[in-house]
Amino acid sequence: AQSVSQHNHHVILSEAASLELGCNYSYGGTVNLFWYVQYPGQHLQLLLKYFSGDPLVKGIKGFEAEFIKSKFSFNLRKPSVQWSDTAEYFCAVNIRDTGNQFYFGTGTSLTVIP
Amino acid sequence: NAGVTQTPKFQVLKTGQSMTLQCAQDMNHEYMSWYRQDPGMGLRLIHYSVGAGITDQGEVPNGYNVSRSTTEDFPLRLLSAAPSQTSVYFCASSYSRSPLHFGNGTRLTVT
């Protein structure tokens, strides 16, 4: 079965620190990849997406992610986090060969300390 | 353009009661889905639909029913609520293989 793994369950950083959140998926075919963010008490919002082309994609609020096909990874990065980045982050995979089902990781809770 | 609208926002049920969580979207998306979110488990797909009249089961369908009579609406029914169904429920919609748009969620407590 397809799966999405986020190995960092809870990350605590100080403001201005750099962030990297890992995401690995288990499907070997063609995929679309997403990162979503969920601020406290809110619904999930799209941070960035990768469909094809340049494996380094830039999203909103200074986030970026790199698709490494050989490693089945799509890690999220931000050079300098802010207190307002405190949220839960979810990696998601959409497999092109099947229906429109999305598979989500278990999420990483990020706490940024001022 | 309201996006994805879920009602109610909060609900408390007693074990054995039934209820329907409503979901409506105004973006003409053919794909709609229901997820439940539980701590440490991420989002798990309950049911989904690729168009009006077509529904299918996701990862955790037991205890839930859905129907899709129109493109806009995708209600989720709990026929006999159980404490294990205490969760936050999200409805989401999209065009085929485009990013999901999420509703604001329904926080359900079953006592």
Side-chain angles (χ1 to χ4, degrees):
Chain A
Q2 295 80 16
S3 69
V4 181
S5 300
Q6 291 182 242
H7 304 294
N8 314 102
H9 298 294
H10 196 163
V11 174
I12 302 174
L13 296 172
S14 298
E15 274 193 319
S18 64
L19 170 72
E20 180 160 3
L21 301 182
C23 173
N24 290 90
Y25 60 95
S26 64
Y27 185 71
T30 305
V31 297
N32 298 321
L33 299 160
F34 307 85
W35 275 97
Y36 283 85
V37 61
Q38 185 179 31
Y39 298 104
Q42 297 188 25
H43 64 286
L44 277 77
Q45 303 170 45
L46 182 67
L47 261 184
L48 47 78
K49 62 183 184 290
Y50 172 79
F51 285 179
S52 64
D54 188 344
L56 184 62
V57 294
K58 296 190 182 300
I60 60 173
K61 304 185 180 184
F63 286 91
E64 64 180 30
E66 183 175 14
F67 171 51
I68 302 179
K69 188 174 183 179
S70 61
K71 295 185 178 181
F72 300 92
S73 70
F74 190 54
N75 292 355
L76 181 71
R77 300 196 291 248
K78 185 171 184 178
S80 176
V81 295
Q82 301 172 317
W83 174 79
S84 58
D85 292 325
T86 294
E88 191 143 14
Y89 293 81
F90 293 92
C91 181
V93 173
N94 171 242
I95 299 169
R96 295 190 202 175
D97 297 338
T98 65
N100 203 34
Q101 292 161 279
F102 283 72
Y103 298 91
F104 283 84
T106 55
T108 297
S109 175
L110 172 65
T111 301
V112 180
I113 302 170
Chain B
N1 190 339
V4 180
T5 302
Q6 286 184 240
T7 56
K9 291 184 178 180
F10 302 94
Q11 183 71 49
V12 179
L13 291 177
K14 294 183 177 179
T15 298
Q17 287 185 316
S18 63
M19 78 158 296
T20 299
L21 280 63
Q22 301 292 344
C23 176
Q25 53 92 10
D26 60 359
M27 298 172 282
N28 202 33
H29 287 164
E30 66 266 25
Y31 180 83
M32 296 186 75
S33 53
W34 277 102
Y35 291 86
R36 60 176 289 172
Q37 183 179 24
D38 302 290
M41 305 191 75
L43 279 82
R44 293 182 291 170
L45 182 64
I46 304 171
H47 285 285
Y48 66 97
S49 169
V50 297
I54 306 169
T55 63
D56 207 345
Q57 297 180 349
E59 304 170 68
V60 288
N62 292 340
Y64 308 95
N65 282 347
V66 293
S67 60
R68 184 97 179 266
S69 56
T70 67
T71 299
E72 295 79 17
D73 300 301
F74 191 46
L76 179 71
R77 298 184 185 85
L78 284 72
L79 298 180
S80 179
S84 60
Q85 294 178 304
T86 293
S87 186
V88 180
Y89 292 84
F90 288 99
C91 179
S93 72
S94 73
Y95 292 116
S96 179
R97 299 178 180 80
S98 294
L100 289 172
H101 295 255
F102 283 87
N104 287 330
T106 296
R107 186 174 296 273
L108 175 67
T109 302
V110 182
T111 62

